[in-house]
Amino acid sequence: MMELRIAFPGDTPVEAEDETFVIRTDQMVISGGQGGGPTPLNLFLAALGMCSGMELLAFCKTRKLSSDGVGLRLSARFDDEGRRVEEIRVEVLLPNSFPQQYVEPCRRAVSQCSVKKHLETPPEVTVTGRQD
């Protein structure tokens, strides 16, 4: 089982740490934070985009296709209060020189992103507590 430890190193930053990395988040200044890092929602969307990007890059590498000019654009639409993501779009960006026969397979490869699959079939989240 993967485990992250969450800590509060200051006024508003929050850190998540595993055996290898520390990821620091903050809130925007307008929300009472210091703006010293991405918000948790930024990281959530970035995780989806980067996972999708890893699938696209792997597709290109496996077929010995150049990844020059290849990328993704992720956009998110929020509800009226701006507190919940209602729609996420991942657009595959390919240069005109990219072989046409691989355009649709690239889209399918991006759709295999494991973060996307977790959104489609979300895990159960249980909140427990204890005092030490």
Side-chain angles (χ1 to χ4, degrees):
M1 175 177 275
M2 179 184 166
E3 183 176 296
L4 292 172
R5 290 168 301 287
I6 310 302
F8 312 107
D11 184 28
T12 57
V14 176
E15 291 181 349
E17 181 178 357
D18 66 7
E19 300 80 27
T20 310
F21 298 103
V22 175
I23 302 169
R24 187 177 198 154
T25 65
D26 201 348
Q27 291 296 324
M28 296 180 295
V29 173
I30 195 168
S31 299
Q34 299 170 7
T39 68
L41 185 56
N42 291 141
L43 287 179
F44 164 72
L45 294 171
L48 175 61
M50 290 186 290
C51 177
S52 298
M54 290 174 75
E55 294 293 341
L56 181 55
L57 185 58
F59 179 90
C60 290
K61 283 184 173 187
T62 300
R63 288 154 188 82
K64 297 185 180 5
L65 298 169
S66 172
S67 59
D68 291 346
V70 173
L72 299 170
R73 179 181 298 127
L74 187 140
S75 56
R77 183 171 51 83
F78 294 84
D79 64 11
D80 290 337
E81 291 82 37
R83 301 201 41 93
R84 187 180 160 294
V85 176
E86 289 188 327
E87 179 186 14
I88 301 170
R89 297 183 68 112
V90 179
E91 181 181 6
V92 178
L93 305 173
L94 301 171
N96 288 334
S97 60
F98 200 83
Q100 181 64 36
Q101 73 263 29
Y102 291 119
V103 172
E104 186 55 36
C106 279
R107 290 185 194 128
R108 285 194 305 270
V110 167
S111 292
Q112 297 306 307
C113 160
S114 64
V115 174
K116 176 182 174 286
K117 289 180 178 184
H118 278 82
L119 291 172
E120 294 170 341
T121 309
E124 180 179 334
V125 178
T126 304
V127 179
T128 63
R130 73 172 202 221
Q131 283 184 293
D132 289 332

